[in-house]
Amino acid sequence: MGTPNPFDLLEDLASSLVMADVDDKPALAQLMMGFEQFVDALPAEVAQSLGEPAREATKLLQNIVMDDTKDPSADFERVSSLLSQIQHAQREPASEDEEEADIPDAEGENAEMAAAAAAEGAFILPDWVDQATFNDFLSNQKAVLEDLESDILDLEKGDTEKAGAIRRVIHTMKGEAGVLGLEDMENLCHAIEDFMDLDLPPSQTADRLLQMTDWVGQAVLAYVDGLQPAQSAADFMAQLKQDAADSQDTKKSKPKKKAKKAASAKTKKAQTKKNAPAEEKPVEKPEPKPARFIEVGGDDDEPDPDADYVLPRPGPESFDDETIAMAGEFLQESEEGLSNADQVLMEIENSGPDDEKINNLFRVFHTIKGVAGFLELKQIESLAHTTETMMNLVRQGNLPLAGAVLDLVFDATEMMRNMLGAVKTAVESGQPIASMDNLPYLIRRLQAAIKGEALPEETLPDSQRTKKLGEILVDEGDLDEQKLAEALESQRQSGRRLGEELVAEKAVSAKKVAQALRSQTQGTKIRETVKVDLERVDSLVEMIGELSIVESMVVNTPEIVSLTSPHVRNSLGQLTKITRDLQSVAMRMRMVPVHGLFQKMARMVRDLSRKNHKNISLVQNGEWTEMDRSMAEQIGDPLVHMIRNAVDHGIEDADERQATGKPKNGTVSLSAYHEGGSIVIEISDDGRGLSRDRILAKALKQGLMKEGEKLKDSEIYNMIFHPGFSTAEKVTEISGRGVGMDVVRRNIEAMRGRVSIDSTPGHGTVFKMVLPLTLAIIDGMLVKCGTETYILPTLSIVESLKPEPSMLYSFTGKGELVNVRGDNYPLLRLNRLFNVSDAKSDASDALVVLVESVGRTIGILVDDVVTQQQVVIKSLGSGMESMKYASGAAILSDGRVGLILNVEEISSLIDDKTFLAETAAASTLPQTPPPSKKENSPDEPINEA
């Protein structure tokens, strides 16, 4: 077969390393053998330079596999770093000594083609990279960069613990980029790792790290399009090197006072060492090795002198009759002792330890140790002795019995019970006692606690605060429902608590009960996720929508409705419930938290405030509130425009804020929460607020209102949503052209939402966006017009009423109007919009539904309001473009199609003077308006708010 190609082996190692996990021992063993093969395949000329790091990686992997390391994660990261070092060395030009080294070039002509393509700006994936793996990498980077930016901003605010998390993410990105042949990204990540080692101010570090995330984000978009990144990483890396050089120059230019101080201290230390006795000279202690376990016990076994602890054999290979009798009593007494220990441990879990409880635990292990030693059950004796030693430290007050230490005692009792079971099985079967695989690990943890080393807390099970103890244990699979029912029944007779009853009945271990009790109070959540193609999710949601429609049609079929059988009615009710639940679950599958969206806004506020020389912080609330994925994407643009305006125009300069008695630093708040059946997103600031007078002046200048016209504050503020409307004194590169707020309104209303403004001069402004939870389903009101049924979005409805004849009138140039409690609203007849011939002609016999859109309120005349219902939205499709007053359609329960009304388009008719004139001319309503509470004449403007 010949010698394997070391280049191919290296790429295989890189791919395997990215997919490996530090806890996957078989995979790590394969990696270890792969490094050995790589070393063996290296030509002699490069065996030293490339073989040395490979041998070090092999040794580290061996230590991890053999549990012979204190920090497996650190060693695993070191292996990744060594692999990157080998890749870099392999790619660099050979030195003079290695010019003749013959490392096979696996790329060949493809490398030349890739180089030519790169020169033209195209990106070609290396042959050894799988396209699906590359696509997964690119799709994952969006979430990775969002989390990375969040950590960077926290680091800038002083959270130094984020530095380690940032390093790990960049290190992982570097390794993945190296495997995929993205050299620019790999080299940049490597340079950033070196940059983070510099002792620079947090703001400067954050600046460079955020620049790196920007570059990676742009590079990912370029790779998706099959292009090289527009900006080479070389310029950025040169900037990082300059930062490093400047940092060194700064350190050298510092006053020499500290150097003199250090030299003086060094001299004193040397004099002290000189005068000290020879035997007191400090001796360098070697770093302690991790504990190694071996199992011995036979006559021919010799202990390993390098082992820190010798794990004895479980016990004798056979028992005589007298020993068997004594073993039976020992097993029974030990089981009772362990049951008492479990009871004490649960009491400690609930009410805390005291001297009596601790002494009881100590005696249990002391007794088991003595008898086990007499019966030559060496492993049981060893575990009991180690646990007893730890409990002695607890008795002396040197070790708290809580958290991980308490978990260790639970583990010891559980392990002891398993070992006793193994003894019983061996006695009954006449076979040797089986060893417990996890015993060395448990003893090592006990010894670590005895030495005072930190122990990781165990993860609590998945639970919620509202769950009961039995429910938690059943959900975790630790207890079946039958045993739970039996324990509840016996609990009524014994009067004990459920946890005590379960342990007494041996239905579940005491440790599991204790963990469940803790999870009740802590509410820990552990979630598992699985990646699913988005098209599949959308397809599933669509099919469930179809199922919901068919279910509604079946249930409301006249033949089914006429049935009186209780069994059929119950089954249909159950079918309806399951369908609705299934629809709800499907909708939640489309939901994503707004955290990622909010995080982008945090980055933008930081950058804009620096550009404007303002100190502004962003406060986020409800960032884990969920909304429809498609809506989260569409809401991004409105948020950008509103926050840019808040930073640029809303928040004053520091001097202006201080002059008005405000804090120097401004605040922009971004909040998300659920309200009724909608999701609300609020953007508020503590700035100068909107200027009512300046808005009115601008509105007069642009002809949006007449001189002397009286408007409400809400109507005035809503004028900023008109295209080209801006009150900014000067146009900046951030805002001021009057374009953004128009985009805000159009995008919000395209999602069937609405936006409102509340502003207090001198105190700030609040923008409130109310949006439906999803775009796939609409919560609507079914209205009748003749024989047709239409759907009005519930979010747009203000109220519905039956008008009195005195409330209705027409006016030239204004069309038909309805007066509601003194306010005049335009009245539009639905039958005229859709040419419905059999609708009610007398408006006083019909109903008026007041709807709000574009900051104004109008009345829509319908025959009847049927019911409120959630319907699945269907697009109108091609050929229906003329139906501009309908935004979609839905299949109703009777199988007919109902149009979903486009309230925004209908509201725009009140600006159409021709339409209003024709409506007034065709109207049969009186032309005399009813008395108004505000005493406004027909010539006065209509209140449309």
Side-chain angles (χ1 to χ4, degrees), residues 727-762:
T727 60
E729 296 178 357
K730 61 179 180 178
V731 176
T732 69
E733 59 179 304
I734 298 175
S735 59
R737 299 186 184 275
V739 178
M741 300 310 289
D742 176 42
V743 173
V744 169
R745 188 190 69 181
R746 283 190 285 107
N747 284 18
I748 298 298
E749 291 179 348
M751 291 184 284
R752 304 191 308 276
R754 53 188 171 86
V755 58
S756 62
I757 306 173
D758 183 21
S759 184
T760 305

Side-chain angles (χ1 to χ4, degrees), residues 174 186-196 237 240:
K174 179 183 76 172
E186 179 189 12
N187 293 335
L188 178 57
C189 290
H190 185 72
I192 281 287
E193 284 183 315
D194 293 340
F195 171 78
M196 289 190 70
M237 292 166 62
L240 294 175

